Each structure stands twice: as C-alpha cells, then as structure tokens.
C-alpha cells in the first residue's frame, strides 16, 4: 500500500476580508509550523487570492480558488476564468453542492469546469454527494455514479490520477449540531467512488486519485474520517475559519499519515 501525503483543504466560503484572511494565515502558519508533511490548501474568496498569494506561498500553503468560469474570456460579466487563475492557484473547487444548489450548476456546467481547470493546469477538487432525499430514497450511489461519470468524462486516466475528489454528502454540510456522517458510512461511499474510478479509468488512476471527506468536519471528528482506508484527507468549511480548530485538524492528519507510514505504506 502506498501512503499518500495527507491533503487538508480549508474552504473559507464567503467569509473573511483581506485583513482577517491575512491574520488567519499568520496564526495558522505559526500553529502548524512543524506539520509541513501535510499538504495544506487554503481556498479564500476570489477577492483574496491575489493579495494573499505571496503570504500563502511564503508560509508554504497552497492556494485554491472556490470557483471559476469555464470560458477563457469574453462577455461574462462578473466572472473570473480558469485562464485568469492559471498562474495564481494550484487547485480549484468544482461542483460544490452550494454552487449546484444556489447557482444552478448542473452536470454539464460541472463537466465544463473540470475540463477548463485541467486545460489551465489547475487541479480540480471535484465535490460529489447526495442530498438527504436521495439518501432516503436509496439513491446515493447512483447519484455519485452519475456525478462522477459526467464530471470526469473529458479527462484522461493520467489527468484523473492527479485530480482530487471530495465526497460531501449535502445533508452533512454545516450541520455541527445536527446529523453528522458516520465514518462507517463514509467508508462505504469512498470505497464506491474509488471503485467507480477504477471501472472507468483503470486501477492506476483509482489508486492515485486523492479522495477527501467533507461535511462538518471539526477538530473532534477529523480523526475518525482520516482513519478510513480510502480517505486521503479532508475538505473543511466552518472549522477552517478558526486557527486552533484547523490546526488541530492538520495535526490529526499529520498523525494519521505517520501511523499509516509506520504500518508499512511508503510515502508518495
Ligand atoms: P462545513 O463545509 O465543514 O462547514 O460543513 C464543508 C464544505 O462545504 O466544503
């Protein structure tokens, strides 16, 4: 088994201005200084990407955009293209359920965005996940299947191997005092996702693609998800706005990475 480097992504969503973002980066870098074997990615709002980029680089974090438009340029008022972001960010979140729900992004738009990210040398962090109703109706795996097949349709096996897929059940996002996804349930879904990638793109791509879990992850629950065989890291929303909470999540990732390597996985 190859122990991949853990990946922890902070999705700040529509929070924090330039000053508050810069203060958070400063605190974070101090609190996770010795945990740099974990890959830590920060996804601030678009407004903060340019002003924070040098600081983020200096502190050895990686930068992600939360969204971009799939056309390269033109009459698309208010949008930022992947082309404009290509030298600025390493990753871009694509297909987050908040964009699918509030901005009507359908399967076709998500597919175009994944392709545009890859075309511009930006690694997509593709979010997939079922709604509460779909889960109740026993359709979760079908939904995951459809979202994956559609979003990955234009990619090669090598491009898939580089990509990141985040399983984010819609019913578990931002529900800290409500229903959390149980690690055993997440284990089954992550395994299903990896198997789908294997069926579609072969075992090498399936083994290499990094799978994250996201949905109300905090400093208390991180460890349970990180201990799952198919979980390579976490996508964290609300808890990433707190330096101590997010640092504790990175610490959990660091420990799980070392436990895995001690069990015999070599570093990738
Ligand atoms: P949450 O957000 O951790 O606040 O649930 C996760 C996400 O939406 O990516």
């Amino acid at each position: 088994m190859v122990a991949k480097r853990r990946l922890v992504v902070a999705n700040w969503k529509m929070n924090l201005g330039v000053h508050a973002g810069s203060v958070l980066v400063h605190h974070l870098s101090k609190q996770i200084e010795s945990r740099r074997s974990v890959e830590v990615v920060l996804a601030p709002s678009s407004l903060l990407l340019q002003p924070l980029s040098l600081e983020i680089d200096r502190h050895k974090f990686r930068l992600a955009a939360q969204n971009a438009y799939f056309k390269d340029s033109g009459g698309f008022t208010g949008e930022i293209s992947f082309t404009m972001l290509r030298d600025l960010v390493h990753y871009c979140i694509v297909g987050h359920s908040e964009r699918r729900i509030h901005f009507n992004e359908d399967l076709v738009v998500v597919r175009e965005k994944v392709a545009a990210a890859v075309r511009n040398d930006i690694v997509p962090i593709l979010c997939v996940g079922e709604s509460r109703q779909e889960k109740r109706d026993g359709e979760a795996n079908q939904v995951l299947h459809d979202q994956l097949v559609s979003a990955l349709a234009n990619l090669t096996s090598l491009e898939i191997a580089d990509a990141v897929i985040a399983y984010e059940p819609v019913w578990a996002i931002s529900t800290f005092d409500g229903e959390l996804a149980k690690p055993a349930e997440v284990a089954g879904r992550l395994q299903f996702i990896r198997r789908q990638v294997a069926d579609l793109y072969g075992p090498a791509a399936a083994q290499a693609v990094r799978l994250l879990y996201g949905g109300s992850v905090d400093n208390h629950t991180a460890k349970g998800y990180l201990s799952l065989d198919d979980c390579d890291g976490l996508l964290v929303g609300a808890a990433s706005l707190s330096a101590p909470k997010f640092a504790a999540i990175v610490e959990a990732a660091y420990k799980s990475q070392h436990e895995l390597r001690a069990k015999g996985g070599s570093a990738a």
Side-chain angles (χ1 to χ4, degrees):
M1 184 182 28
V2 177
K4 282 177 229 149
R5 190 178 177 205
R6 293 295 196 203
L7 172 62
V8 181
V9 183
N11 178 8
W12 290 358
K13 306 194 180 184
M14 200 175 70
N15 295 293
L16 306 183
V18 176
H19 178 69
S22 167
V23 169
L24 182 54
V25 172
H26 177 75
H27 287 308
L28 272 179
S29 69
K30 284 195 154 164
Q31 293 185 26
I32 61 179
E33 210 159 23
S34 58
R35 299 301 184 234
R36 285 323 171 80
S37 53
V38 174
E39 182 176 354
V40 179
V41 176
L42 304 181
S45 81
S46 304
L47 181 69
L48 275 64
L49 291 172
Q50 185 78 59
L52 288 191
S53 68
L54 276 183
E55 197 173 341
I56 283 178
D57 245 19
R58 192 166 61 242
H59 292 303
K60 301 197 170 48
F61 297 120
R62 273 185 160 156
L63 197 55
Q66 295 176 15
N67 177 43
Y69 194 54
F70 57 83
K71 298 277 189 189
D72 292 341
S73 63
F76 303 99
T77 302
E79 293 297 311
I80 295 173
S81 70
F82 286 93
T83 315
M84 291 166 166
L85 294 174
R86 81 177 278 149
D87 295 322
L88 188 59
V89 304
H90 194 91
Y91 293 97
C92 183
I93 299 172
V94 179
H96 192 284
S97 58
E98 287 159 8
R99 296 216 55 90
R100 294 185 197 252
I101 293 166
H102 302 306
F103 301 94
N104 302 320
E105 291 194 4
D106 60 14
L107 294 177
V108 175
V109 169
V110 173
R111 173 165 66 225
E112 295 280 6
K113 289 191 172 190
V114 168
V118 171
R119 189 168 73 234
N120 286 287
D121 291 327
I122 293 171
V123 178
I125 301 173
L126 170 68
C127 300
V128 294
E130 80 284 2
S131 67
R132 184 180 303 280
Q133 191 57 47
E134 289 161 343
K135 178 176 136 107
R136 277 197 196 125
D137 294 345
E139 290 171 354
N141 283 354
Q142 187 59 47
V143 169
L144 293 178
H145 169 86
D146 294 349
Q147 290 179 346
L148 286 169
V149 170
S150 169
L152 303 178
N154 293 330
L155 304 196
T156 65
S157 300
L158 279 181
E159 288 164 347
I160 301 276
D162 253 4
V164 178
I165 300 173
Y167 170 55
E168 295 211 311
V170 181
W171 50 271
I173 292 180
S174 302
T175 58
F176 291 91
D177 44 5
E179 196 181 356
L180 294 179
K182 295 190 179 59
E185 181 175 358
V186 173
R189 303 284 184 225
L190 291 176
Q191 197 180 42
F192 176 81
I193 290 171
R194 210 179 285 284
R195 239 189 283 126
Q196 293 297 303
V197 175
D199 289 350
L200 291 166
Y201 294 98
Q207 206 192 13
V209 70
R210 286 165 295 170
L211 302 188
L212 309 183
Y213 174 69
S216 305
V217 175
D218 67 11
N219 40 322
H220 303 296
T221 57
K223 187 175 173 209
Y225 300 120
L226 287 163
S227 67
L228 305 175
D229 277 351
D230 283 303
C231 186
D232 300 308
L234 300 167
L235 176 50
V236 185
S240 72
L241 298 172
S242 148
K245 282 187 188 170
F246 191 64
I249 293 169
V250 173
E251 176 71 20
Y254 176 83
K255 283 193 178 139
S256 78
Q257 180 169 283
H258 278 258
E259 278 161 19
L260 203 60
R261 285 178 186 173
K263 270 199 245 162
S266 57

